Amino acid sequence: MNIIFCKKDVARDRHLPMLQAFVKKNNYQTDIRVFGDAEDMLFKISDIEYSIDLLLLDVSFPNITGFEVVNRMKKNGFRGEAIFLTDIPDQWDRAFDVQAFHYVLESNCTKERFEDIVGRAILESEKKQQDTIVFTCAGERVIVPVRDISYFMVTDRWVTVHYGHNQSFEFFSRMGKIEQHLTGRGFVRIHRSCIVSVRYIAAVRYNQVILQDGTVLALARGKFATVKELFERYEGLGEVL
């Protein structure tokens, strides 16, 4: 699980340690990345918003509001939960406009209340991660969580979806249709016959993509820069601060 905590340095001293202690106490496999500036955050997570599970941020930053930040991230694939953590009391109604999980006034937020809100937001985000796709062929039907899919491979319009622990299912479709359906869900087309989930990439070489299970896939020359950048940005979220 990836969490972003975005507040000015002096404003995060109280609740950032609470967040770190909470995820540790509950044994969440969580990476927390901390930013002091919203525009810097947006630049560094551009194109990998889909990988953010929980966003905690203020409502006011230089040149941009927290509400604009959430809107922009959602347009780029953010499907997690957003919590506004602020001492500005009169903008809670705008949080509803961007469908935030909560609007928390720092001055009235005890450790117990903070942990309750964050815990419920994490549970809600985990439910969203169970987004599924139904595949059918010749009377057979499988339901696969999107997060379990590692890649798609097509041969003569027969597509094989690879998922879980060495599981696969073959069905009839077009790669363009699949690519469109997966927009904003963390997949990238590495050549005309293959679409890969960035979360399952272990390494990117000049003409190959290597997955975490050791699978080696061909990488089109013109796709190298795009795939490498997406992989490095996703991998960069592993920093724990």
Side-chain angles (χ1 to χ4, degrees), residues 1-63:
M1 175 176 289
N2 291 313
I3 297 178
I4 297 290
F5 192 100
C6 186
K7 290 181 67 65
K8 298 174 185 176
D9 293 345
V10 295
R12 68 191 186 205
D13 292 343
R14 182 184 178 201
H15 288 95
L16 178 58
M18 284 187 190
L19 176 64
Q20 293 168 324
F22 175 74
V23 298
K24 183 177 181 180
K25 179 176 70 175
N26 289 277
N27 295 315
Y28 286 114
Q29 297 298 310
T30 303
D31 294 330
I32 302 172
R33 196 168 187 192
V34 181
F35 294 91
D37 178 77
E39 291 184 308
D40 178 53
M41 178 200 74
L42 287 172
F43 175 76
K44 290 181 177 176
I45 67 168
S46 176
D47 296 328
I48 55 169
E49 287 88 348
Y50 64 86
S51 66
I52 310 302
D53 300 287
L54 180 62
L55 170 66
L56 296 97
L57 76 166
D58 212 326
V59 303
S60 178
F61 297 95
N63 305 317

Side-chain angles (χ1 to χ4, degrees), residues 78-173:
F78 174 56
R79 298 168 60 85
E81 297 296 335
I83 297 174
F84 289 104
L85 191 61
T86 183
D87 260 335
I88 300 175
D90 58 354
Q91 297 191 39
W92 58 267
D93 55 326
R94 298 184 65 187
F96 285 101
D97 293 337
V98 297
Q99 298 179 313
F101 184 82
H102 218 298
Y103 188 97
V104 182
L105 290 178
E106 290 181 287
S107 57
N108 296 328
C109 188
T110 64
K111 175 177 178 289
E112 292 73 22
R113 183 163 184 259
F114 178 80
E115 290 187 349
D116 175 66
I117 292 169
V118 170
R120 287 189 288 113
I122 288 175
L123 288 175
E124 192 63 30
S125 181
E126 287 178 338
K127 289 179 184 177
K128 287 184 177 180
Q129 292 300 329
Q130 293 306 309
D131 182 20
T132 60
I133 299 178
V134 178
F135 300 101
T136 60
C137 183
E140 288 189 71
R141 179 174 179 265
V142 297
I143 303 173
V144 182
V146 173
R147 69 180 303 153
D148 289 350
I149 298 172
S150 54
Y151 70 102
F152 294 84
M153 185 70 74
V154 63
T155 304
D156 297 327
R157 293 192 67 179
W158 282 100
V159 180
T160 303
V161 55
H162 296 262
Y163 63 96
H165 298 289
N166 298 316
Q167 294 176 278
S168 63
F169 185 79
E170 191 176 57
F171 61 101
F172 191 72
S173 187

Side-chain angles (χ1 to χ4, degrees), residues 176-192:
K177 180 179 179 181
I178 295 170
E179 187 175 26
Q180 184 178 20
H181 186 70
L182 294 171
T183 299
R185 292 179 167 185
F187 289 79
V188 60
R189 194 164 183 169
I190 64 171
H191 62 73
R192 62 187 181 86

Side-chain angles (χ1 to χ4, degrees), residues 180-213:
Q180 184 178 20
H181 186 70
L182 294 171
T183 299
R185 292 179 167 185
F187 289 79
V188 60
R189 194 164 183 169
I190 64 171
H191 62 73
R192 62 187 181 86
S193 301
C194 187
I195 296 174
V196 175
S197 171
V198 179
R199 72 167 62 240
Y200 286 100
I201 296 177
V204 179
R205 296 176 181 169
Y206 184 67
N207 62 351
Q208 292 179 331
V209 168
I210 302 171
L211 303 188
Q212 293 169 6
D213 64 359

